[in-house]
Amino acid sequence: MNKFTSYSWISSDKALNELLDTWEKFGVTSIAVDFEGEFNLHIYGEHLCLVQIFDEKEFYLIDPFSVSADSLKRLFENPKLEKLWFACSSDANLLWKKYAIWLTNVYDLAVEKEILGLSGNLATLETLFNLNNSESVNKKKNQKSNWLVRPLPEEQIEYALSDVAYLFKIKKELNRMSAELQKTQDVACAMKNAVNIKMEYALGYTKLPGYKRMRKEQKIKAKHLFLAREKLAQDLNKPPFQILDKHVVADLSSKVLITEEMLCKMINNKNASLKRKLIHLLLEAEKAAVKEIECRNEN
C-alpha cells in the first residue's frame, strides 16, 4: 500500500516564489502537475481548488485560495519549466477562464498515449506499467469530493498526490515505446499543440437535453428558463442542479404556456422559500420568452 503523506503546503505568494527560485537555482526543469477543481458540484461555478506538484523528489500542494494570480502566472507561463501532465486541456482552459493564464511548455502524456495507440486513462497506464495505486486510493470516491474545504482530509490529499506520483515514470516508459516505434518526432511535434484553449464556449442552454431537436420557439424559451435558473443559482451560490434539474428545464421549454400551477407540480424543491423565488423567476422568464418570440415573428 502506497502512502503520499510527505508534502509541502504552499499557501502564500512568498512561499510559491521561493519554491520557483529554488527550482531555478538547482536546475529543476520539469515538474509533474495536476489540478483539483469545483465544477458546479458544491457551489456555483467553476473554481481551481488545488494544484498538486511532484518535482521527482518532493511533493507540493499549492492552495490557489491563498496564492495570487500573478504568482500562479509565474509558475504556469514559465517557458523554461516543463509541466508534465495527463490530459491538460480542461485544466488549461480553467486557468485561462479564471486567471487569464496561458499554460506553456506542457508535456501531455495523454497525447503521447494516443500517438502510440494506447487506450484508457491514467489508471490504465499505471496498471500497464505496474504502478497501480488503486489499493491505497479510492479514486472514484474522491473525484466527487469537496475540494473547497480546509483543511483537506488526508484521504483527499493522498488521492491528489497519487495523480502526480507516477507521471515521470510513465513518461519514461512512453518515451521508450515511442523510440522503439520511431514515433519520437511525431510526439515532439504534437507537444507543440498540446494546450488547446477554447476562446469561445458553447452557451449553457445549448447543452440542455434535446436542445438540438427543439423548434425555434422552444429554443428561445429554453434560453430564458435556463438563464433564470442560473441567476438564482448564482445569487444563492448553489449548483444549478440543486435549484432545478436540467431535464425539467428542457421539459418546460416544450410547453406552449407555463403556468404557476404547472410549476408548483413540476418543481420538487423542498425549500419553500427557494421554490417561490424560482417560480417567480421562471414566470418572468416565460414572459420574456413570449415577448422575444413575438418580436421575431413580427420581423
Side-chain angles (χ1 to χ4, degrees), residues 141-170:
K141 172 186 175 182
N142 284 288
Q143 284 172 350
K144 294 186 177 181
S145 295
N146 187 350
W147 295 97
L148 297 159
V149 301
R150 295 295 186 270
L152 285 167
E154 182 178 326
E155 182 182 6
Q156 286 180 231
I157 289 175
E158 184 184 350
Y159 163 82
L161 294 178
S162 73
D163 276 344
V164 295
Y166 301 121
L167 295 187
F168 281 102
K169 292 181 179 179
I170 291 173

Side-chain angles (χ1 to χ4, degrees), residues 3-11 19 50-55 57-63 147 149-162 164-165:
K3 287 286 184 180
F4 308 106
T5 55
S6 178
Y7 60 91
S8 296
W9 181 262
I10 308 295
S11 58
L19 176 60
L50 189 69
V51 178
Q52 52 265 44
I53 292 175
F54 180 50
D55 65 5
K57 292 182 179 180
E58 304 289 339
F59 289 103
Y60 303 90
L61 292 176
I62 299 174
D63 186 355
W147 295 97
V149 301
R150 295 295 186 270
L152 285 167
E154 182 178 326
E155 182 182 6
Q156 286 180 231
I157 289 175
E158 184 184 350
Y159 163 82
L161 294 178
S162 73
V164 295

